[in-house]
Amino acid sequence: MEKHSKLAGRTVMITGASGGLGAHFAELCAGAGAAVVLGARRLDRLENLAAAIRDRGGRALAVPLDVAEEASVTAAFDAAEAQFGPVDSVIANAGIERSGRATEISVEDFDAVYAVNVRGAFLVAREAARRLRAAGRTEDGRIVMISSITAEICVPGLMPYSVSKAAVSHMTRMLAREWARRGPNVNALAPGYMPSDLNAEWFASEAGRQQLDLFPRRRLADFTMLDEPLLFLLSNASAQVTGSVIKLDDGQTL
């Protein structure tokens, strides 16, 4: 874990931190000097990650978190405050995908995607903003939503996920405008296709390999592409940046 101090003094809550991008972000923020609060439903994975961060001299707390449930979000913030004080930064990373053509996707799958990807991002951002106001620390607040390039392009079979990410992008702008005078900065990263549990099976298939061949660089993007933009948005250097949705896709949509 590379150590530097860009986020020294900050407490960052990362949702969906049990694997993939979320776990990567946790390691990144801890290495940058932040206390990290790791939230997800798979507590065993979180505990292992938190222990590994602490073994390297970082500060980490694992909390059970179902972002779609308001009571769970409140409890996670309560636990974070008890350990580290107010949470001043949030990475709203939790997300799920349900594939299928629009004529075939079930209402249950559609609702499940929206519950996590949209309602979950809103509940976490809102709780952070409320508590920052109560603590008189809104100018310090940083919320980073994780959107996707699928918010801008049409991918057959990914309708619920893509539309949910479009909602996340616009939620970013709406919250940034509403909280511009008395609230945290709200921005979003919109990554391109990266290796993840959600797409591993697809890109191992013949159709997935054909999609890769259509990308200008014929590859999936790497997690580390997001590191510096994320650290900037969470740091004091981004005091005058709010309402931005930053596309980072390794040229996949060119």
Side-chain angles (χ1 to χ4, degrees):
M1 181 169 61
E2 181 184 357
K3 291 189 176 182
H4 46 91
S5 58
K6 288 185 178 180
L7 303 184
R10 288 196 168 272
T11 297
V12 182
M13 178 179 287
I14 303 119
T15 71
S18 58
L21 268 182
H24 176 78
F25 292 154
E27 297 270 16
L28 176 70
C29 292
V36 293
V37 181
L38 315 179
R41 290 177 291 187
R42 293 177 289 188
L43 190 58
D44 55 337
R45 292 193 184 186
L46 294 179
E47 293 285 9
N48 291 336
L49 177 57
I53 290 172
R54 290 192 294 266
D55 286 346
R56 291 192 290 272
R59 294 175 296 157
L61 173 69
V63 295
L65 176 58
D66 182 348
V67 296
E69 298 296 333
E70 186 173 16
S72 181
V73 171
T74 301
F77 274 86
D78 286 343
E81 286 188 2
Q83 181 79 12
F84 296 128
V87 172
D88 54 58
S89 306
V90 166
I91 304 172
N93 169 72
I96 64 171
E97 175 188 310
R98 296 290 186 270
S99 301
R101 296 284 180 168
T103 51
E104 300 165 358
I105 197 82
S106 70
V107 171
E108 291 77 17
D109 280 348
F110 186 95
D111 288 347
V113 169
Y114 262 69
V116 174
N117 296 8
V118 182
R119 185 171 75 217
F122 169 70
L123 289 176
V124 172
R126 183 182 68 173
E127 189 67 18
R130 285 175 169 174
R131 293 181 184 235
L132 284 165
R133 286 186 180 184
R137 294 186 55 190
T138 54
E139 290 186 5
D140 296 334
R142 301 287 186 271
I143 295 173
V144 179
M145 305 285 200
I146 304 302
S147 183
S148 167
I149 60 167
T150 63
E152 299 182 11
I153 61 176
C154 297
V155 182
L158 285 183
M159 190 274 293
Y161 179 81
S162 298
V163 176
S164 76
K165 289 302 184 179
V168 167
S169 291
H170 198 52
M171 186 194 307
T172 297
R173 293 182 284 265
M174 290 291 295
L175 295 180
R177 177 63 185 89
E178 186 171 319
W179 297 342
R181 294 187 181 179
R182 190 168 175 261
N185 287 2
V186 188
N187 296 287
L189 298 179
Y193 285 97
M194 297 179 169
S196 74
D197 293 340
L198 300 181
N199 63 30
E201 184 176 349
W202 166 252
F203 282 112
S205 70
E206 179 60 29
R209 288 191 290 270
Q210 290 176 4
Q211 183 181 6
L212 277 177
D213 287 340
L214 295 175
F215 295 158
R217 289 177 169 168
R218 296 182 179 179
R219 67 187 184 190
L220 295 175
D222 190 85
F223 286 179
T224 58
M225 176 180 64
L226 305 180
D227 289 1
E228 289 303 320
L230 178 67
L231 291 175
F232 167 71
L233 291 177
L234 292 173
S235 74
N236 294 337
S238 66
Q240 297 185 45
V241 181
T242 193
S244 294
V245 179
I246 303 172
K247 182 172 70 173
L248 297 158
D249 71 346
D250 196 34
Q252 291 171 2
T253 53
L254 293 176

